[in-house]
Amino acid sequence: MPIIYHETTKTFHLQNAHLSYVMQVLKNGQLGQLYFGKRVHDRVDFSYLVETSPRAMAVCPFEDDMSFSMDHLKQEFPVYGNGDMRHPALDVLQPNGSRYSQFVYVGHRIEKGKPSMHPLPHVYVENEDEMTTLTIELEDTVMQARLELVYSLDEQRPAIMRSARLTNEGEKPLQIDRMMSFALDLPDANYTMLELTGAWSRERHLKERSLQHGIQAIGSLRGHSSHNFNPFIALKRPKTTEYLGEAYGFSLIYSGNFLAQIEVDTYDTSRVMMGIHPQNFSWELASQETFQTPEAVFVYADQGLNALSQTFHDLYRHRLARGYWRDRPRPLLVNNWEGTYFDFNEARILEMAKTAKELGLELFVLDDGWFGHRNDDTTSLGDWYPNLQKLPEGITGLANKVTELGLGFGLWFEPEMISIDSDLYRAHPEWMLSTPHRHPSHGRHQYILDFSNPEVVKAIGDMMVKILSEAPISYVKWDMNRAMSEVYSLTTPSHEQGKVMHRYILGVYDLYDRLTTAFPKILFESCASGGARFDPGMLYYAPQAWTSDDTDAVERLKIQYGTSLVYPISSMGSHVSAVPNHQLSRITSLPFRANVAYFGTFGYELDVTKLSDEEKTIIKEQIQWMKDHRALIQFGTFYRLSSPFESNVTCWMVVSEDKREALVGWYRVLNKVNAAYERIRLAGLDEDMLYHVSGLELDLYGDELMHIGLLTSDHTSGERKATDPTQNGDFVSRIYHLKACG
Ligand code: DGJ
């Protein structure tokens, strides 16, 4: 039994082959946290772990017990006001004006499997034996509310899913002003916090900081999960590396405003919390109503960050992503955005599609600019019908012609947006989020539709369904190009305005749900000005996401490396674009650009009709190469070997499930004269297997490659070096193919 309950001591032990998670009902009925880490033996009584040292100045609930204070106890869902002076997981304003609460244990249930959390995205099971779910019920009889803490333990992976639900059992409404998805008190603070931070075009850079007393927090108030901070943090021991040491990962399955916070008190307890950001959130909970938080995922690793990432990759690829495309190799595409921007017509698109087909590509994606009268970014969002001046036979006509060429056809939408210059705005100005009597700020000249209003979601959905049903469309890119401001729903009563930002995200999920149900074979790629919504919530609906608007291959090393901390390679949209690169003006060779883009869902983002014959020959070979290797890349096990954040050389690899094949991507940013000898130790191979290593043209055992290393020092002859710009100078890359001999 993976979730054990000891009635005599009221102890819960979540235990699988990798981890243990221990809780106990405390003397005052609240739920205490005793241990989370590597698996330990079970015992009936873990109460020796409950901290009970008497401290001066402690606030104590029991007259006769100076050693029991909520301020010093590790807890599962702390509240404020009963002696715990740290920040709470829950803050509820009650009818009498009080915010004090005390939730005490009343019961629990343990069930096989994992229940659906619809309409919220969540980790799922395909059969009941994969996970076990514990629901602990706590009650506050004064508030007349029931709190349920839900824990699903993965039987195989070192992962636990957590969320919380609050039900108003009284007559009068309650107001939730803060409700985290979880809180976790860890008994020391000797950790480094990892986060994925950045900005537009430099998303998910890996940053580290040592925990300090006080609060360290990241979050988003932008309405999307954001370019700036990802809904993920990890704690690792200071000496933990990619392959050694302990690490805890915390990931929130949510696409809107979030808070991820670690509060270290002056006794060195670390309180980790994650959930919907309390700013601009306030939820009036009517009698008998329940509020469900988004789900958070905990992953534990005792063998370094690489193991932590592999658990996330495996879990998110198999039990968060869903549908027809989950396990299928993704189509190799060309997207016209950087090739044409808004300047295209049917003839130009068909010319591009024809060339793309000749090159061996499989899908043509028509990006922004095909609808309303959109010729730049100032108009037409919301008018989801084709611009007949550009496309005289509409999307259906164009899509038919493209599919007749033997390519799939994909289409861009930005469903959540509205332009002032649009028929939609003229008909429904009240559908735009804007605060009465306040000037609405624009972002990229556009405004945001009120997706908290189901009528709006339905109207946009109807327009999309019409196009998707009439034309042969096999792929949709769902974009979202601005952060939110002056958020106010004109169709929502004033006392419910605090619900708008969360309801908005539920509206987005609802539309995704409608479209993915109606069109199960359409491949959805999420996007938000590049990677502002690269989050687990989106992955539930769209198995791949546009990683960043920065298509420069050198910058992509950091972006893709950082993203891989949590997200699988099969989720990262990565395209080869033209040079000079449009974001940075950097010039890199075509092989370098492809060698980086291969490690993702591959495509091209340029005007293929402008390629020289020589470039076309190289690209044809690249496409064929990717066709031969994409299953291994997209579904193999990914290993990070050398970090672009620490080194001039980036290196990563994928290994097939049977370990008979592997690909190593090696990238050197700047050239060095008279450089040092370099070997990179590989990972994940079979020690006893003999591999042929292309590039080196040697047969080497797995143990040699993993313990001695792959020789990556320049091994080309001086003559070739001088003549082959892809092997000399800056921005040099190589792909080593390892194949089991015999
Ligand atoms: C932002 C996206 O990230 C780009 O790929 C492109 O689709 C543009 N929007 C179109 O407006």
Side-chain angles (χ1 to χ4, degrees), residues 337 367-368 412 444 477 479 481 527 529-530 546 549 605:
W337 178 242
D367 211 281
D368 194 354
W412 178 97
R444 204 199 189 198
K477 178 175 173 187
D479 205 348
N481 279 307
C527 173
S529 345
W546 183 225
D549 271 348
E605 180 132 352

Side-chain angles (χ1 to χ4, degrees), residues 37-179:
K38 196 171 167 70
R39 177 195 160 103
V40 293
H41 282 97
D42 185 44
R43 59 162 58 240
V44 174
D45 193 359
F46 278 100
S47 50
Y48 71 97
L49 294 172
V50 179
E51 185 180 334
T52 51
S53 23
R55 294 179 193 275
M57 306 308 298
V59 173
C60 306
F62 299 107
E63 267 308 319
D64 59 350
D65 187 352
M66 294 286 286
S67 68
F68 187 95
S69 167
M70 297 317 286
D71 209 15
H72 300 293
L73 287 160
K74 281 85 190 157
Q75 299 164 57
E76 281 295 296
F77 213 73
V79 290
Y80 177 75
N82 60 358
D84 186 335
M85 307 303 173
R86 294 162 287 182
H87 284 75
L90 182 69
D91 180 14
V92 182
L93 179 62
Q94 296 148 62
N96 68 357
S98 165
R99 290 181 180 275
Y100 167 66
S101 59
Q102 179 152 17
F103 285 90
V104 301
Y105 172 81
V106 287
H108 71 272
R109 47 184 201 280
I110 298 173
E111 295 153 289
K112 276 271 158 219
K114 182 173 188 294
S116 163
M117 288 177 65
H118 182 81
L120 282 165
H122 56 277
V123 166
Y124 60 89
V125 289
E126 284 192 341
N127 79 63
E128 289 212 324
D129 294 333
E130 294 174 5
M131 295 188 194
T132 307
T133 298
L134 162 70
T135 306
I136 302 180
E137 283 180 38
L138 304 133
E139 208 154 33
D140 183 327
T141 48
V142 177
M143 188 193 287
Q144 294 186 288
R146 189 174 75 248
L147 175 66
E148 288 167 295
L149 303 183
V150 186
Y151 302 79
S152 296
L153 174 69
D154 194 316
E155 300 273 335
Q156 301 299 331
R157 305 173 183 93
I160 296 174
M161 277 50 72
R162 274 192 66 178
S163 71
R165 282 196 289 268
L166 187 74
T167 303
N168 181 356
E169 295 182 325
E171 298 291 311
K172 294 189 180 151
L174 299 169
Q175 185 179 305
I176 307 172
D177 284 332
R178 173 191 187 98
M179 186 163 174

